[in-house]
Amino acid sequence: MSDTKMFKENIVSKLETIPTPFYYYDVEVLKQTLQKLKAESDKYGFIIHYALKANANNKIIDIIKSYNIGADCVSGNEVKKAVECDFKPEHIVFAGVGKNDAEINYALENNIFCFNCESLQELEVLNELAAAKKKTAGIALRINPNVNANTHKYITTGLEENKFGINLWELETVVNALKDFKNLNLIGLHFHIGSQIMDLNSFKSLCLRVNEIQGWFVNRKITIQNINVGGGLGVDYHEPEAHLITDFASYFKLFNDFLELQPGQKVHFELGRAIIAQCGTLISKVLYIKKGVNTNFAILDAGMTELMRPALYQAYHKIENLSKYQVSGIKYQEASSESEIRNPKSEIFKYDVVGPICESSDCFGKAVILPETKRGDIVALRTAGAYGEVMSSAYNLRDRVKAFYSDEI
Ligand code: LLP
């Protein structure tokens, strides 16, 4: 697959009629991603949970659920959303360093499969709340494996310095304490080392660490039924068309090759970004072009309120002027080299592409090369399906961003 519906069917004229900014989701890309994900994970009998935090739109969740995928939640409201979207309780897992009592009670009442527990005190509280309801909670110990994910430090979660998980040096104390927690049932170990991980070697290091930790449990004759290795598989933000679907084959093969499982053990994954990032695009219009000292500013009607990732993590999102590709008659996928884009009618300019929000960090990209861009042009910020709309805000009293789907417009 080399192009998205956006370019293939030349739907820019349709997008132009919708008030901007908005998220546009290519349902076909999502479905093809899910088919590949299932085909590759089913080869090894791996169980997939979708990390709702990446995108919690009902339509997106419904499509993902229809591929027999479970739900990974990190708040009471995400558990509620999973329940409301009809995920079976036995397919819902719940992580988070700061689950409050109401969230825990809600998850207990709904008999979710597993609480991924992150501290001794959380285990004590969960045991008390479960006892009060005369229930037994399935738990996995979320262990901080101290493995470097080699990603942005804000989305690194598996190092000792991070707040997540139970540190290896605490494991003995925690496991001893479990003997007294009669309303908890240890059913698994959970790990999650970070997000947007492009180097599969980080996952290999995780596998090797999981094997060591498993040895520790085997020595103590403690049986663990489930190993949850979290999520984190990255996507190509720079060349989305070249890698619309992440390389699930190599990813799952690696876990199959390097994880040493005990008989009957099941392996769980919690993927968010790799499922949903590439099918989503933030569509915006150029409000103004303004001359700067060394650059031109292209001021969009979308800002950090709609897509926070560049401001928060200095994240790169590919920016494209869709109107120009249409006007100049060059479809994006046909322009395989820069010289082809650089046709006589559309000269190339550099722009700092910014939003309207009163913050200097409200910048989507500096010195971005685009064809000459004008007020009213439609601009696409690609690979925005994960952690885009779901992290949008109403800062500056902005309207909440809307979503449109390729099969509905
Ligand atoms: N499991 C747990 C426990 C997590 O904390 C996360 C993500 C995932 C699974 C899913 O990770 P994924 O497969 O999507 O990488 N807002 C940031 C990403 C934060 C990720 C938080 N945890 C961003 O925009 O890059």
Side-chain angles (χ1 to χ4, degrees), residues 12-19 285 378:
V12 179
S13 49
K14 277 192 197 159
L15 296 181
E16 263 167 351
T17 62
I18 303 172
K285 263 191 189 132
I378 296 263

Side-chain angles (χ1 to χ4, degrees), residues 198-258:
M198 294 306 279
D199 180 1
L200 288 187
N201 278 315
S202 299
F203 292 117
K204 181 177 168 190
S205 305
L206 172 64
C207 290
L208 301 180
R209 186 58 51 85
V210 171
N211 296 343
E212 280 171 31
I213 295 169
Q214 286 248 61
W216 189 92
F217 281 89
V218 170
N219 284 340
R220 283 163 184 75
K221 306 213 172 354
I222 301 172
T223 313
I224 303 286
Q225 295 143 25
N226 298 283
I227 300 292
N228 182 336
V229 291
L233 179 60
V235 298
D236 190 345
Y237 282 93
H238 288 266
E239 290 301 333
E241 295 298 323
H243 300 111
L244 270 184
I245 299 179
T246 299
D247 182 5
F248 293 117
S250 307
Y251 173 69
F252 290 123
K253 181 173 184 307
L254 180 132
F255 282 92
N256 186 60
D257 287 349
F258 291 101

Side-chain angles (χ1 to χ4, degrees), residues 309-340:
R309 302 191 68 258
L312 193 56
Y313 316 111
Q314 301 76 48
Y316 176 87
H317 285 263
K318 188 166 187 186
I319 301 172
E320 292 165 348
N321 182 331
L322 298 186
S323 303
K324 268 297 140 37
Y325 294 128
Q326 193 188 39
V327 169
S328 63
I330 304 173
K331 283 197 204 149
Y332 176 71
Q333 78 271 18
E334 290 165 359
S336 55
S337 69
E338 213 177 73
S339 62
E340 276 179 76

Side-chain angles (χ1 to χ4, degrees), residues 107-115 126-127 129-139 181-187:
L108 282 169
E109 281 152 21
N110 284 281
N111 304 313
I112 66 160
F113 172 61
C114 191
F115 291 78
L126 178 56
N127 185 55
L129 294 174
K133 291 190 180 299
K134 300 192 174 33
K135 291 198 175 222
T136 303
I139 62 147
F181 297 150
K182 303 292 177 221
N183 293 75
L184 303 185
N185 181 20
L186 177 65
I187 58 169

Side-chain angles (χ1 to χ4, degrees), residues 51 53 72 155 192 195 232 270-273 309 313 387 391:
K53 65 181 80 63
D72 162 42
I155 49 176
H192 174 73
S195 198
E270 301 170 339
L271 292 171
R273 190 187 315 262
R309 302 191 68 258
Y313 316 111
Y387 307 108
M391 288 174 71

